[in-house]
Structure formats: C-alpha cells, structure tokens
Amino acid sequence: MDMADFAFNRRAYFDYEILEKFEAGIMLLGFEVKAVKSGRINLLGSYVVFKNCEPYLLNADISPYQPLNTPKDYDSKRSRKLLLKKSEIKYLFGKKESAGLTLIPLRIYNKRNKIKVEIALARGKKQYEKREKIIKRETKRKIERAIKNY
C-alpha cells in the first residue's frame, strides 16, 4: 500500500487536543489532483464544516499546478466536499453540534492511488496549555544538551 504524505498540518497538534481521527475522500478537479500530488497544498488554517448535513473542507489552499493552463475563475481556497460513510457523517455531525468540538484536517496522503484526507475531531487548547508544552519542550532540550556536554 503506497501512502505518501502530500501535506501535514503540524499546527493542528499544537493548537488542538486530538480526540478521534477519520479517513475521508475528497472531491477534486483534475488539475487539483496533479497540484496535490506535486505538493502544492497548504492545510494551515483549514477546517471542516457541514453544509446541508454534508462535510466540506474550507480554506485548504491548492495552488495551481500549471498557472497558465488553470481556468481564469479558479479559486485556490474553494470549499471541497469530503466523502465519508453515512454513519460517520451522522456521528461527526452530532459530536460537533453537541460538544463544541471542531473538525480539522491533519494530513493529505495517497492510498491506493486515491487522495485521502485524515480529519480529526478536536478540542481547542487553552493558552496556558500551549505555554506548558513549550516549557516542557525547552527543559527537555536543556537536559539533553547538558547530558551531551557532560
């Protein structure tokens, strides 16, 4: 099984507490597929919303593969429909509405020649939680440096 990562949302792991992960297909245009496979996608600031009980990926920036051959009216940040099972959609819709959680894309990858999106049900971290994580990381580095120099 060929699973190459095209995009990874590092910021999501820092800003959110990941509760559950799901795999979804994504509806793309032909030239968007080429752009994604060449790594021209940015997930920073993107999220998932429900329109008419269907999940859509918003703010994922797919820059054109060949700008001159791309349609003039192409919007690189257009909303793209995500493909999930009905049961997963109902579950996520219920969770998102009740618990005040968010749906964010974690990574975009290749699976059996299909482009998949790994989305996560997540809860936003508070500012002090982020600070604690930074402090822990820095103290760990200092300790490792001290051991290395010793």
Side-chain angles (χ1 to χ4, degrees), residues 10-28:
R10 273 201 193 100
R11 188 83 192 172
Y13 288 94
F14 182 71
D15 288 339
Y16 298 94
E17 175 190 344
I18 308 299
L19 304 174
E20 287 182 77
K21 294 179 182 179
F22 296 89
E23 181 180 77
I26 184 169
M27 288 179 72
L28 297 171

Side-chain angles (χ1 to χ4, degrees), residues 9 12 14 29 33 43 52-53 59-61 64 73-74 81 86 105 110 113-114 117 123 140-141 147 149:
N9 191 355
F14 182 71
L29 301 171
V33 172
L43 292 177
N52 301 328
C53 294
N59 268 3
D61 189 18
D73 60 341
Y74 174 64
K81 188 174 177 183
K86 265 186 187 170
N110 196 21
N113 252 351
K114 305 268 188 289
V117 182
R123 180 180 290 116
K140 186 180 173 189
R141 277 194 195 134
I147 291 171
N149 294 336

Side-chain angles (χ1 to χ4, degrees), residues 57-122:
L57 179 65
L58 267 61
N59 268 3
D61 189 18
I62 300 178
S63 55
Y65 176 66
Q66 291 177 324
L68 297 175
N69 293 344
T70 307
K72 298 281 183 256
D73 60 341
Y74 174 64
D75 177 20
S76 67
K77 289 193 174 191
R78 72 182 182 87
S79 54
R80 295 166 178 90
K81 188 174 177 183
L82 294 178
L83 308 169
L84 288 158
K85 294 176 186 159
K86 265 186 187 170
S87 58
E88 289 177 330
I89 291 173
K90 285 179 185 172
Y91 176 77
L92 288 172
F93 187 73
K95 281 281 195 180
K96 192 174 184 319
E97 294 301 306
S98 65
L101 302 171
T102 21
L103 279 169
I104 47 167
L106 296 177
R107 66 188 184 116
I108 293 193
Y109 58 95
N110 196 21
K111 183 177 180 182
R112 292 195 199 104
N113 252 351
K114 305 268 188 289
I115 293 176
K116 299 286 184 177
V117 182
E118 185 176 53
I119 58 174
L121 198 59

